């Protein structure tokens, strides 16, 4: 009886230590919505490219600017949605949104993400368009992988999936938009749904 009490105490301590080093308030629903936003954005980009299929898309052109605007709106909607739903989940589980774990998560996520973003901009300036999709997928995957140490382990598997898709996309560089749909759309919906049913509905 005494041994069982000690074992329970040890388990409680381990759980408390885990919660103190991990940010557990990520919302699976925000992943699903981010994926839906990405699919809508990809549809808009595909429409723009179809309208412009007989012309070369250049950085100074209107089509390219509309594509960048679409990507920015998708990113902004995803961030705002994630912020709102994460706050709601944090309140529900009694966790502070901006704690030490959240700071570590954000820092470790942003370093690879910003590096990949700068790399992609440099490739755009050099007109190496075929590698933009693979680079964004790979560095996003690295960002998820790097941040997964401080949050739900499912983020690690999402990161690995994104990296694999990015590497495959290098071989099929003419199909970047389809890989974006898979990586930022379908994968977010699938992993978001898994996280929602695994954690959020408890």
């Amino acid at each position: 009886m005494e041994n069982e009490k000690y074992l329970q105490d040890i388990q409680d301590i381990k759980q408390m230590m885990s919660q103190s080093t991990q940010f557990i308030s990520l919302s699976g629903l925000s992943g699903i919505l981010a994926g839906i936003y990405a699919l809508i954005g990809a549809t808009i980009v595909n429409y723009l490219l179809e309208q412009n299929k007989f012309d070369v898309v250049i950085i100074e052109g209107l089509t390219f600017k509309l594509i960048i605007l679409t990507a920015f709106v998708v990113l902004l909607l995803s961030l705002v949605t994630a912020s709102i739903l994460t706050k709601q989940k944090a309140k529900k589980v009694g966790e502070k949104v901006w704690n030490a774990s959240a700071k570590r998560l954000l820092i470790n996520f942003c370093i690879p993400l910003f590096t990949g973003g700068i790399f992609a901009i440099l490739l755009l300036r050099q007109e190496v368009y075929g590698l933009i999709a693979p680079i964004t997928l790979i560095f996003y995957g690295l960002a998820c992988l790097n941040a997964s140490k401080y949050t739900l382990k499912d983020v690690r598997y999402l990161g690995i999936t994104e990296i694999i898709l990015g590497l495959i996309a290098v071989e099929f560089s003419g199909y970047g938009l389809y890989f974006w749909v898979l990586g930022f759309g379908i994968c977010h919906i699938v992993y978001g749904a898994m996280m929602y049913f695994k954690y959020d509905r408890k």
Side-chain angles (χ1 to χ4, degrees):
M1 189 70 179
E2 195 70 22
N3 288 337
E4 289 181 6
K5 184 178 183 299
Y6 285 138
L7 286 173
Q8 184 62 46
D9 289 343
I10 290 170
Q11 288 177 353
D12 291 341
I13 291 168
K14 285 175 68 176
Q15 185 176 3
M16 287 171 63
M17 289 177 65
S18 175
Q19 288 179 346
S20 67
T21 57
Q22 290 189 322
F23 185 72
I24 60 172
S25 292
L26 286 182
S27 170
L29 187 58
S30 66
I32 296 171
L33 291 173
I36 292 171
Y37 299 152
L39 292 180
I40 294 171
T43 303
I44 294 170
V45 169
N46 185 61
Y47 171 78
L48 292 171
L49 292 174
E50 284 292 319
Q51 293 295 107
N52 200 66
K53 62 182 177 182
F54 297 113
D55 299 313
V56 178
V57 177
I58 57 174
I59 294 178
E60 294 81 7
L62 177 62
T63 300
F64 181 80
K65 290 175 181 176
L66 288 173
I67 290 172
I68 294 298
L69 177 62
T70 302
F72 177 77
V73 171
V74 168
L75 177 62
L76 184 62
L77 284 172
S78 299
L79 290 174
V80 171
T81 301
S83 176
I84 293 170
L85 293 178
T86 297
K87 285 179 181 177
Q88 289 179 350
K89 185 178 176 184
K91 188 176 180 181
K92 187 185 294 184
V93 299
E95 184 179 37
K96 290 183 179 179
V97 175
W98 192 240
N99 55 22
S101 299
K103 291 175 186 177
R104 286 192 293 267
L105 168 66
L106 188 62
I107 291 169
N108 282 273
F109 181 75
C110 285
I111 291 173
L113 192 70
F114 287 155
T115 303
I118 293 168
F119 193 8
I121 291 170
L122 293 174
L123 289 176
L124 277 174
R125 287 174 58 85
Q126 297 297 321
E127 299 182 0
V128 187
Y129 302 121
L131 290 178
I132 301 299
I135 286 299
T136 51
L137 286 166
I138 290 170
F139 276 90
Y140 177 69
L142 289 171
C144 290
L145 195 62
N146 203 39
S148 66
K149 295 173 287 186
Y150 305 102
T151 187
L152 305 172
K153 64 180 180 180
D154 304 74
V155 176
R156 176 182 178 84
Y157 303 126
L158 172 62
I160 292 171
T161 305
E162 299 286 355
I163 292 169
I164 292 170
L165 280 173
L167 293 173
I168 297 172
V170 174
E171 187 66 24
F172 301 97
S173 58
Y175 298 91
L177 184 60
Y178 297 103
F179 281 98
W180 266 345
V181 167
L182 275 174
F184 297 119
I186 304 298
C187 282
H188 270 146
I189 292 172
V190 170
Y191 279 96
M194 287 169 57
M195 290 169 65
Y196 176 76
F197 286 108
K198 192 173 180 180
Y199 306 108
D200 295 3
R201 293 193 63 177
K202 287 184 178 180

